[in-house]
Amino acid sequence: MTRRIPLPALLTLGLLLLAGSSQARNPYKRAFFSYYPSADNTQLTDLPSNSGHCGVCHFDFDGSATRNAYGLGIETRLAQGLSIEEAIAELDGLDPDNDGFTTAQEIDASGYYSNTPTFPGLALGNYTSSVNVDLADLEPYLTPTGATDEIDPVVTVLTPAGGEAYEPNTTNTVSWTATDDSGIAHINLYLSDDGGDHWRQLARALPPTGSHDLFIPNLPGSNNTLKVEAYDNAGNEGEAVSAGTFTINAVTTGIVPTSLRDFDMPGTQPFEASVMEDPSITCIACHGDYDPDAEPYHGWQGSMMGQAMRDPVYLATLAVANEAAPGSGDLCLRCHTPGGWSEGRSFDTTGGMMNAKDFQGVQCDFCHRQVDVHYQEGVSPATDAEILAELESVPGSNANGQFVIDGGPAKRGPYADAVANHQTIASDFTLSANLCGTCHDVSNPAFIAGSEPGLYEVDPLNQAHPTADTRDMFPVERTFSEWSVSEYATSGGVYQPQFAGNKPDGMVATCQDCHMADVLGSGCTEAAAPTRSDLGFHDLTGGNTFVPDILPIFYPDEVDPIQLWSGKVRAQSMLSLAATMELTSMVVDGHLGLNVRLYNETGHKLPSGYPEGRRAWINVQAFDGGGELVYESGAYDGDTGILEDDADAKIYHIEPGISSRLSPVLGLPAGPSFHFALNDTVYLDNRIPPRGFTNAAFTEVQSPPVGYSYEDGQYWDDTVYVLPGTARFVEVTFYYQSISKEYIEFLRDNNTVNTMGQQLYDAWNTTGKSTPEPMCQAILDLDVSGVDEGAVIPHALTLAQNYPNPFNPQTWIDFSLAKAGPVSLNIYDGRGHLVRSLVNENLDEGPHQIRWDGNDDAGQAAASGVYHYVLKTHEKKLARKMTLLR
């Protein structure tokens, strides 16, 4: 169990290294100068403008308020449970301010630089935040300069020596010698396949041991050279390349001979950004464990974003994809563990090099250090222009995991008045849906768009895509693009108060408006941090209700079941808001009929996301006058996980697959396929489009209806059922399922490189088989005029929409009971908390009406928002939603 120091104890860091050298020293200062005795009585303790200071840890040289990068590093390690001495020792070999020098080099390398010791938490990019000191006094001591040792290290590459042949995706020892009078600080390794014109970094900051077990990436070719780059303790660089070229063989397994080159894309590359913080150590210290209804950490940990790298469905899919198309896992790792990818643990595209921190998924640091690839003068942070200019290739769009990361320690957020113990940068990009598009608009770069929409050709393999334009690739997922051409994006928003959280006007426009809805609370534990009514809750809620159930099976010591349960409840609530239903009794060619109309209330297609295994369907049950089932469509067997695809069944999903053109090349049958890394066509896409849909716009973003049709402007779908003449009432439910039996079995049967597919199947089989979630439900008495005129129409169990809706402060709820018995009618808020119990008693059969005055069980007025009212009897449970607007 990690021990955390209470906030008052952390605030004692406000005195960290504050007292002058002539004063009685506090424990922090004693420990620091005990560890670095050569730094005592230097500029670290005596500057002309603030004699007797110690500004090692704080921007305020009087020793309070915001910590600099070094001070923040000390604080988070104390919160982790380390002692002061242990925290200082752990930072010795790290580079907190990201200026290219470790703490040891900045403080304890006085024999090699004329200006050391320098401040380990200050750099050119952040020192201007310092106060109570003359900045001119700091400028000479930001980065070690004036090296007294100006001789470069002497480096020789021993192995490879030339002529070797290495198998890709294996580990082999490379060796070198590196010598220098001032000692070797660290080693970097690079690979070139074109005679040294271009280099790809393979390892960073290795210890100077003389050898390293190098993972050989899937980059086949015979003209490879290895470069060893050595830095001495004075910052001098020496390098050498292997004496001759060596070969990396091609992968001989797989259905197609792809390599890492096929999935190369622009943006920040591995090793180009600084190391990301571990959320479970650093971020939780101030952003967690204080308010689960508002704090960032609790919601994030219960979300699929926080569990993106642990997700067993993803891991089984990753294994199958790599097995079919070697190297394709690189595309997946970019977004499921962006920290691990950017820190260079992605060359093993199976994820085998990832560490515990990488399994934190989409880490806090990733989103809060992202740079918009489209620089906007006066809008983007000024530093972004320089960051983008330093890239070899700037992405053309916010998509496909082509992210750009700010290498500095400052955290980006939407507020200019943020109160934090670290540096902050106000960035509107954190509020932009474009940030979400980074990982929610995904294409396969192994394909190139053909001569007409929907036609894709195989790009020449073992080389990067010729344009890097995601619109020139096969679309795997288009959630962001669908939003971008919907009414939500093009009109500035849609009135949808059920999604809007605290937004007073009920309007939603961006991804964050719905998936990080505004709540009331504080974003951190800093005493001066403001309480906000527009705090984006970091729940990042989607519709996955299956994976939260199985994660504790796979990671019993890593995940919190309460956080996951909260995430599942939020997903269930989100699903209940995503669609609405209308039922109409009708006559079809003289027969009794029913029309089911479903409205898509979201800003993208319904259902959305990756196509593999996700589906939604209509279940229709018709009953006769005695309550006996006389008709059913869309029946689902919970014991077997089988959804019956009857003649009338309406199942909403997307069916990508392998075209007849590609089939002979792959040796696989043409038709719908779960092989997302191989698919080159779409056979069916009947998902319901969002408001603002046009066929032209959705074709442009590569997400048109396929094998189905919708009119421009249509965001609903009608399905007509012909019922038996004996039917008297119907019960209709619209279900969503996170993953289907067919996909689970595909992953089990096609995963031969590890056991994840079988483990996933076993977990699915024992946890309800991804229990379908009802998105909306309705019961209707049928109009049987002229049908069996003498038949008795029984009372049916019904729950009507409340009226008025929205309401303030009271509303009426009508319901009808099929028979007498115990009944409950309860009101729940959006997080599933009971607000008011309206009925809990035995009632007679037939119609009833109940008024809700808008108060909770304690008599207090309920807040504005979306509520669920649930009617429950022994036989059934019905639910609807309503909106209270104060």
Side-chain angles (χ1 to χ4, degrees):
M1 179 68 69
T2 299
R3 179 171 62 87
R4 300 194 181 96
I5 295 175
L7 183 60
L10 290 179
L11 292 178
T12 63
L13 286 173
L15 301 175
L16 181 58
L17 308 178
L18 171 61
S21 58
S22 62
Q23 299 172 320
R25 288 179 168 176
N26 65 45
Y28 303 101
K29 189 165 188 176
R30 283 199 306 270
F32 182 84
F33 288 109
S34 174
Y35 198 90
Y36 298 110
S38 64
D40 204 354
N41 297 313
T42 68
Q43 50 269 17
L44 296 191
T45 59
D46 187 18
L47 288 173
S49 57
N50 194 332
S51 179
H53 75 277
C54 185
V56 172
C57 289
H58 290 271
F59 285 115
D60 186 341
F61 271 60
D62 283 348
S64 62
T66 304
R67 287 80 165 161
N68 62 36
Y70 184 81
L72 182 60
I74 293 290
E75 177 183 4
T76 55
R77 282 157 180 80
L78 294 178
Q80 187 185 0
L82 273 62
S83 68
I84 300 171
E85 292 77 8
E86 290 169 336
I88 291 170
E90 189 168 294
L91 286 175
D92 184 64
L94 302 181
D95 180 12
D97 56 3
N98 195 40
D99 63 359
F101 294 88
T102 66
T103 302
Q105 289 174 298
E106 293 221 39
I107 298 175
D108 209 21
S110 57
Y112 312 121
Y113 299 96
S114 61
N115 70 332
T116 54
T118 53
F119 290 93
L122 300 180
L124 189 62
N126 72 357
Y127 86 104
T128 55
S129 297
S130 300
V131 296
N132 289 316
V133 68
D134 188 340
L135 296 183
D137 289 349
L138 300 179
E139 290 170 0
Y141 307 113
L142 299 177
T143 302
T145 57
T148 55
D149 173 6
E150 297 182 352
I151 300 175
D152 295 338
V154 177
V155 185
T156 302
V157 179
L158 301 178
T159 56
E164 296 89 347
Y166 295 108
E167 293 300 321
N169 301 324
T170 63
T171 300
N172 291 263
T173 300
V174 298
S175 60
W176 65 87
T177 62
T179 59
D180 189 89
D181 289 342
S182 64
I184 302 298
H186 65 270
I187 301 291
N188 299 325
L189 302 180
Y190 300 82
L191 177 72
S192 174
D193 60 3
D194 59 5
D197 289 339
H198 298 88
W199 294 97
R200 185 190 300 253
Q201 190 165 3
L202 299 183
R204 174 175 62 185
L206 298 176
T209 58
S211 66
H212 175 67
D213 291 333
L214 180 66
F215 185 87
I216 306 299
N218 178 16
L219 294 166
S222 59
N223 190 34
N224 297 293
T225 53
L226 182 76
K227 178 170 70 175
V228 175
E229 182 181 76
Y231 284 86
D232 66 16
N233 285 307
N236 300 305
E237 177 215 336
E239 62 181 48
V241 300
S242 49
T245 60
F246 58 91
T247 297
I248 298 177
N249 293 328
V251 174
T252 56
T253 59
I255 297 173
V256 292
T258 46
S259 75
L260 267 175
R261 293 187 182 92
D262 293 296
F263 305 98
D264 276 343
M265 285 178 288
T268 300
Q269 299 301 307
F271 300 109
E272 287 186 351
S274 59
V275 174
M276 293 188 183
E277 302 281 5
D278 186 334
S280 65
I281 296 173
T282 304
C283 306
I284 193 176
C286 295
H287 298 285
D289 289 350
Y290 65 93
D291 183 1
D293 291 328
E295 70 176 48
Y297 194 83
H298 180 90
W300 168 74
Q301 273 284 273
S303 74
M304 290 308 302
M305 299 280 275
Q307 305 300 332
M309 189 60 194
R310 295 190 182 103
D311 178 0
V313 178
Y314 159 72
L315 292 174
T317 301
L318 178 69
V320 173
N322 270 306
E323 194 172 352
S328 61
D330 185 74
L331 186 65
C332 310
L333 293 171
R334 280 175 170 266
C335 284
H336 281 259
T337 177
W341 190 90
S342 65
E343 290 174 28
R345 291 181 289 277
S346 55
F347 292 113
D348 179 355
T349 58
T350 69
M353 295 172 68
M354 298 299 163
N355 62 27
K357 183 184 73 172
D358 300 333
F359 275 80
Q360 298 282 348
V362 184
Q363 298 152 292
C364 314
D365 239 11
F366 172 61
C367 291
H368 290 281
R369 284 169 54 190
Q370 269 207 68
V371 174
D372 191 352
V373 302
H374 304 294
Y375 180 75
Q376 302 177 66
E377 184 73 36
V379 176
S380 302
T383 186
D384 289 5
E386 181 179 347
I387 292 170
L388 293 169
E390 290 178 352
L391 292 177
E392 182 175 340
S393 179
V394 177
S397 61
N398 302 105
N400 235 29
Q402 301 172 121
F403 49 76
V404 176
I405 298 296
D406 182 350
K411 314 304 178 189
R412 294 164 177 248
Y415 303 112
D417 63 341
V419 176
N421 64 1
H422 53 72
Q423 276 188 293
T424 63
I425 295 176
S427 172
D428 287 346
F429 189 50
T430 57
L431 296 176
S432 168
N434 290 340
L435 184 149
C436 307
T438 303
C439 288
H440 291 278
D441 224 52
V442 179
S443 306
N444 189 341
F447 293 95
I448 188 168
S451 57
E452 59 186 63
L455 181 69
Y456 297 89
E457 306 287 351
V458 177
D459 188 39
L461 297 182
N462 197 30
Q463 63 183 48
H465 192 279
T467 67
D469 182 354
T470 56
R471 296 283 183 254
D472 199 19
M473 305 172 185
F474 178 73
V476 176
E477 187 231 2
R478 282 292 181 268
T479 303
F480 169 77
S481 285
E482 291 161 6
W483 165 85
S484 72
V485 290
S486 75
E487 186 177 336
Y488 290 80
T490 56
S491 69
V494 174
Y495 179 71
Q496 291 279 48
Q498 68 268 31
F499 295 117
N502 277 356
K503 292 186 183 302
D505 59 1
M507 300 292 289
V508 294
T510 68
C511 312
Q512 292 91 327
D513 287 344
C514 293
H515 298 281
M516 296 181 66
D518 291 352
V519 296
L520 178 69
S522 178
C524 68
T525 57
E526 285 293 306
T531 297
R532 307 182 189 275
S533 61
D534 63 345
L535 182 70
F537 186 49
H538 285 55
D539 57 343
L540 308 157
T541 297
N544 197 321
T545 59
F546 166 59
V547 171
D549 286 342
I550 65 173
L551 281 168
I553 298 174
F554 289 84
Y555 309 97
D557 299 324
E558 296 181 31
V559 299
D560 184 332
I562 294 177
Q563 293 170 340
L564 294 172
W565 176 83
S566 297
K568 178 176 178 176
V569 170
R570 292 192 299 270
Q572 291 172 322
S573 177
M574 179 68 77
L575 289 170
S576 74
L577 303 174
T580 52
M581 178 191 296
E582 288 181 359
L583 303 183
T584 305
S585 183
M586 59 191 304
V587 176
V588 181
D589 296 330
H591 298 282
L592 188 60
L594 171 73
N595 184 69
V596 178
R597 172 169 287 191
L598 290 170
Y599 290 94
N600 177 6
E601 305 292 356
T602 76
H604 40 68
K605 284 187 175 182
L606 184 69
S608 69
Y610 285 89
E612 286 75 22
R614 302 185 184 195
R615 60 188 181 185
W617 71 90
I618 303 172
N619 173 249
V620 177
Q621 293 181 319
F623 300 88
D624 65 13
E628 295 296 321
L629 183 69
V630 295
Y631 171 89
E632 184 170 13
S633 175
Y636 179 82
D637 187 335
D639 293 331
T640 64
I642 295 175
L643 171 61
E644 184 178 341
D645 192 5
D646 57 85
D648 294 341
K650 175 61 72 67
I651 304 170
Y652 297 94
H653 60 159
I654 179 173
E655 291 184 356
I658 298 168
S659 70
S660 57
R661 295 174 293 103
L662 187 59
S663 171
V665 177
L666 300 179
L668 295 175
S673 161
F674 286 129
H675 272 298
F676 92 88
L678 304 178
N679 293 334
D680 70 324
T681 194
V682 175
Y683 284 92
L684 174 71
D685 186 352
N686 67 344
R687 297 173 299 158
I688 307 173
R691 286 173 169 82
F693 165 79
T694 67
N695 284 279
F698 272 64
T699 298
E700 182 69 22
V701 300
Q702 302 169 284
S703 187
V706 178
Y708 205 76
S709 64
Y710 290 96
E711 298 293 329
D712 286 357
Q714 187 176 345
Y715 63 96
W716 63 87
D717 186 45
D718 291 320
T719 307
V720 176
Y721 298 84
V722 177
L723 304 176
T726 56
R728 293 297 178 267
F729 68 96
V730 291
E731 181 175 326
V732 182
T733 306
F734 185 41
Y735 284 106
Y736 172 83
Q737 190 173 41
S738 301
I739 190 166
S740 67
K741 171 186 175 72
E742 290 78 10
Y743 189 52
I744 287 286
E745 291 178 340
F746 168 82
L747 294 176
R748 176 197 63 189
D749 298 341
N750 287 272
N751 185 346
T752 63
V753 295
N754 58 35
T755 62
M756 184 54 71
Q758 183 64 53
Q759 292 180 66
L760 172 63
Y761 177 87
D762 293 341
W764 170 83
N765 197 40
T766 58
T767 57
K769 298 180 173 63
S770 186
T771 303
E773 296 290 341
M775 299 178 70
C776 49
Q777 192 174 39
I779 294 176
L780 177 71
D781 289 331
L782 297 169
D783 182 356
V784 293
S785 302
V787 180
D788 293 338
E789 189 172 328
V792 177
I793 300 177
H795 291 297
L797 178 66
T798 64
L799 179 64
Q801 185 65 52
N802 67 301
Y803 61 91
N805 186 50
F807 64 96
N808 178 25
Q810 61 184 356
T811 188
W812 281 262
I813 301 170
D814 291 340
F815 61 93
S816 181
L817 302 179
K819 57 184 179 181
V823 179
S824 67
L825 178 63
N826 295 322
I827 310 292
Y828 298 90
D829 65 17
R831 300 186 187 281
H833 299 145
L834 177 65
V835 175
R836 181 74 177 271
S837 178
L838 294 174
V839 176
N840 190 13
E841 59 183 300
N842 289 307
L843 295 178
D844 294 334
E845 67 176 318
H848 297 271
Q849 185 181 79
I850 297 293
R851 180 180 71 92
W852 182 36
D853 60 7
N855 293 333
D856 61 19
D857 277 334
Q860 301 298 311
S864 295
V866 176
Y867 294 86
H868 300 263
Y869 55 105
V870 179
L871 179 71
K872 187 175 182 181
T873 69
H874 278 319
E875 292 78 23
K876 293 286 183 180
K877 182 174 74 171
L878 301 179
R880 283 182 176 268
K881 52 184 177 282
M882 56 184 168
T883 303
L884 171 60
L885 292 179
R886 294 286 185 183

